[in-house]
Structures are given as structure tokens and as C-alpha cells.
Amino acid sequence: MEQPNLFSIRRGFLTAVFLACIVVLSSYTNSQWRKHYSNGENCFCKDSATKTSTPARETEVKRDGMWTVNSINRLGNQMNGYGALYAFAKMNGKQPYILSRMHSYLAPIFKITIPVIHDSVAQKIQWKGFHPSNWMREEYKTISGKYVKITGDPWSWTWYRDIRDEIRREFTLHDFLRDGANEQLAKLKGSRTNVTFVGVHVRRGDYVVHMPRDWKGAIGDRAYLQEAMDYFRKKYQEPIFVVASNGMPWCKENINASNGDVYFAGDSNESTPANDFALLVQCNHTIMTIGTFGWWAGYLAGGEVVYLTNFTSPKSKLPHYFHYKDTYLPEWIGIAADLTPLINDRWKTMKGWV
């Protein structure tokens, strides 16, 4: 009788074990995939025309509706829209989605969690527009509509009153940005032991002409910045002022750096704002002029925030939909703008202003 071939037996056994492993691994992978998407993680809507398989969670969300927000302007306004969408969707128990343009602004900087709606899907939906006022209303807790798009440039801390920690968590900096900013601040600190970092954001750019001409408003002058910085100098032993601006030449000419406590550290590049923003957020306190970029830096940094208030003249239409008390937090410290050049129409000749 022919003896069995030990090599053949061993090879058959190994083949059987290999196939069994494949079956087990495949079953486990499929179960994990179903679990992953049933929890709604990383759910991206796809156009049905692409014949892409649709996760279970996506089907559920489509059946229950979708809420989104328009995507306009640069970083600060994108953060406004994201925050408003997060707040209103949460109030109304709806699933929010952001557009791909907003995702491209925010995802490289923050650990955001709201999923993206595919452009081809968003274009086919008949959205119901919702244009909120820039302050909280009771009716915002019961907004009707299955497919709602928030429009305008919504901006108010009052929507985040009860979810501030959640909003700040949504805008958590990526580790490499946070670590890079902290490394830069450590270099500025040097051998000093009682340092307090104060981020200073000076909004210039198009606001230099746009605000006084179109909105009859000021943007923060040399005197305002001096008063704001002196407030921190009196309060803290070794303040270091870290200036970021889209008008750095003006800052260097108008901010007094003779005390050796001012560093013009931003790169002033509006198209790549991540490093400037991270630097401001990692500071202990904030001085801002006007605008959403500085506002969000102060909101996320925590600590004390000094801001420019009463910066519109009696002729301005801005206060009709922009309320100071609903924009700036009650604990923030407002310093009133000098409106004399604006009222006298001398703003074009004021070197410390423009």
C-alpha cells in the first residue's frame, strides 16, 4: 500500500488554514464597516449616479433630511457659518452637513466633525433658505424644514451660550499647528519666567476703506491699540504682545514697540492664515480690532479679550443688524473707538487710522 506523502498533507493543511483565515478576516472587516457607518462616522454623501454603495447611516440621514450652510469669504466667516450650522442643527435635532468649499477652509486647520455633502448632491436638493438675525431668538429652536440651508453671514455668541465647550472642541487645532505655535512662543519667551502672552490681531486690508466709506465705521487706530496694550502692561508683570495682521507695515509704524515687549510675528498672508491664527489662539489673552478672524481667536484662546466697541457713527446702518451685545461676550472688555475723524469726514487723512 502506497504511503501518504507528508509534504502533500502539510501543504493541504496549510491551504485549509489560510482559507479559513480569509473567511474570518472578511467577516470581521464587513462587521466593522457596518458598525463604523451605522454610527455615522466619516459619512460622505455620494451622487447616486456614480453607483457608489451607500452606507446605512447615509440612507437614514437622507430620509430624515439634511441641513447645511452657505460657504462665503475667508476663514473667520467660514467659522461663523460652521458654528451657526452646528448650533441650529443641534437645537432642532437635525443632521448637519458642510459644503466642500467650507471643508477645504476648515479641515486643514481644525479637527472638525461635521461631514461633507457632495457637491453633486447639494446642487440637486431644493433647499429651504433660513436667514437668521445676528442674535438668538426663541423661534430658532423650532425651525421647520427637511432640507434647510442657512444663508447670510451669521455671527453671534448667543447661539453658543449653552454649548461653548462643544464649539471650541469643534475648532480644536491640529496638533502640528498647535505645537508649531507653542514652539514659536517658547522662543519669544526666552529666559523670562513670568510671561503672559497677549495675541494682538489688527484687521486692515479692505476694511481700511470699506468700513469708513460704506458702513460709517472705524477699524481701530493707534490710540486704541496703545490703550489696550497698556491695560495688560499694568495688570501683568511680563506681557509679550504677539501681533498678527494683514497690514503689518501699518502695525510696525503705529504700534509702539520701544518697550521690547512687542513681536510682529505673523506672516500677514491672508491666503494661508493657519499659522497666524494658531499663534493667536495659543496666547493667554487677546486684543482685537474688528472682524471675525480676531473674534474667533479670542473666543478660542479664552482669557481676557479687549475689543473695539462703539465703532459706528450715528449715520451707520450697521447697528440695524449688528448688535454689540450679541456679538461680543459680556465679560469681554470694550474700548470705545474715537469717531471724531469719521464724523468730521477726515478719516482719509488720519495717518494713525488709515
Side-chain angles (χ1 to χ4, degrees):
M1 183 174 179
E2 185 177 357
Q3 295 296 320
N5 189 315
L6 294 178
F7 177 76
S8 298
I9 293 174
R10 184 181 300 148
R11 182 172 60 186
F13 174 75
L14 292 175
T15 300
V17 171
F18 176 75
L19 291 174
C21 289
I22 291 294
V23 171
V24 172
L25 180 60
S26 177
S27 298
Y28 175 78
T29 301
N30 286 333
S31 67
Q32 291 301 304
W33 185 90
R34 287 192 297 271
K35 178 181 178 182
H36 180 69
Y37 280 102
S38 66
N39 289 332
E41 297 176 11
N42 296 331
C43 173
F44 290 82
C45 298
K46 299 293 182 182
D47 186 356
S48 58
T50 62
K51 299 181 180 179
T52 306
S53 59
T54 304
R57 176 60 177 168
E58 180 186 333
T59 303
E60 293 170 8
V61 171
K62 283 187 177 181
R63 186 168 60 247
D64 295 335
M66 297 179 177
W67 281 29
T68 191
V69 63
N70 59 350
S71 175
I72 60 173
N73 300 327
R74 294 188 292 265
L75 181 60
N77 300 92
Q78 298 289 337
M79 296 177 72
N80 280 354
Y82 187 100
L85 175 63
Y86 187 99
F88 289 133
K90 185 178 180 67
M91 287 180 206
N92 290 272
K94 300 296 183 179
Q95 171 63 48
Y97 289 84
I98 58 173
L99 301 175
S100 59
R101 184 172 182 268
M102 179 171 286
H103 184 267
S104 68
Y105 266 96
L106 301 181
I109 304 175
F110 306 109
K111 299 178 181 181
I112 55 175
T113 64
I114 297 180
V116 182
I117 181 171
H118 197 280
D119 289 343
S120 61
V121 175
Q123 292 166 6
K124 294 176 182 178
I125 294 175
Q126 295 296 315
W127 299 101
K128 174 187 176 181
F130 166 60
H131 192 94
S133 301
N134 281 355
W135 53 88
M136 183 61 189
R137 297 175 183 265
E138 190 63 27
E139 57 263 35
Y140 292 166
K141 298 178 182 179
T142 54
I143 302 167
S144 62
K146 191 172 183 180
Y147 299 102
V148 173
K149 176 183 278 190
I150 300 168
T151 61
D153 183 19
W155 178 23
S156 177
W157 71 271
T158 58
W159 305 325
Y160 322 135
R161 190 193 308 268
D162 300 322
I163 57 170
R164 183 172 184 178
D165 288 342
E166 291 182 47
I167 295 295
R168 294 180 69 184
R169 192 159 52 244
E170 286 295 308
F171 292 127
T172 299
L173 293 168
H174 286 303
D175 294 351
F176 76 95
L177 286 170
R178 180 202 61 211
D179 294 344
N182 285 336
E183 185 176 321
Q184 190 170 353
L185 292 177
K187 291 180 181 178
L188 295 180
K189 178 181 178 181
S191 59
R192 287 172 283 198
T193 57
N194 295 304
V195 166
T196 300
F197 290 106
V198 181
V200 183
H201 181 252
V202 183
R203 178 67 160 87
R204 303 286 297 169
D206 57 339
Y207 272 27
V208 172
V209 174
H210 177 66
M211 277 300 295
R213 183 191 65 192
D214 301 334
W215 294 112
K216 303 298 184 287
I219 61 173
D221 59 6
R222 174 192 303 149
Y224 161 73
L225 290 169
Q226 184 69 42
E227 184 176 350
M229 294 168 76
D230 285 345
Y231 167 82
F232 287 104
R233 287 188 176 109
K234 292 175 183 177
K235 191 166 185 177
Y236 297 100
Q237 184 176 346
E238 290 184 292
I240 293 181
F241 299 95
V242 182
V243 180
S245 174
N246 59 347
M248 196 61 82
W250 183 93
C251 292
K252 291 180 178 179
E253 185 176 348
N254 289 276
I255 294 177
N256 182 4
S258 60
N259 291 337
D261 57 2
V262 178
Y263 294 87
F264 302 100
D267 59 21
S268 305
N269 192 340
E270 288 182 288
S271 63
T272 55
N275 292 332
D276 278 10
F277 191 82
L279 200 59
L280 294 172
V281 169
Q282 293 306 112
C283 287
N284 304 109
H285 307 289
T286 306
I287 295 172
M288 60 171 290
T289 52
I290 59 173
T292 56
F293 190 97
W295 188 97
W296 278 108
Y299 190 84
L300 298 179
E304 294 185 271
V305 178
V306 174
Y307 68 96
L308 184 71
T309 190
N310 298 333
F311 55 80
T312 51
S313 77
K315 296 180 181 179
S316 176
K317 297 179 180 180
L318 192 61
H320 290 299
Y321 58 90
F322 174 92
H323 294 176
Y324 290 99
K325 68 181 182 65
D326 296 311
T327 302
Y328 304 106
L329 278 69
E331 63 269 26
W332 289 6
I333 303 163
I335 296 178
D338 176 13
L339 298 179
T340 304
L342 192 65
I343 294 173
N344 296 337
D345 200 28
R346 290 189 292 108
W347 59 271
K348 292 181 180 180
T349 61
M350 293 296 292
K351 186 176 181 181
W353 193 347
V354 301

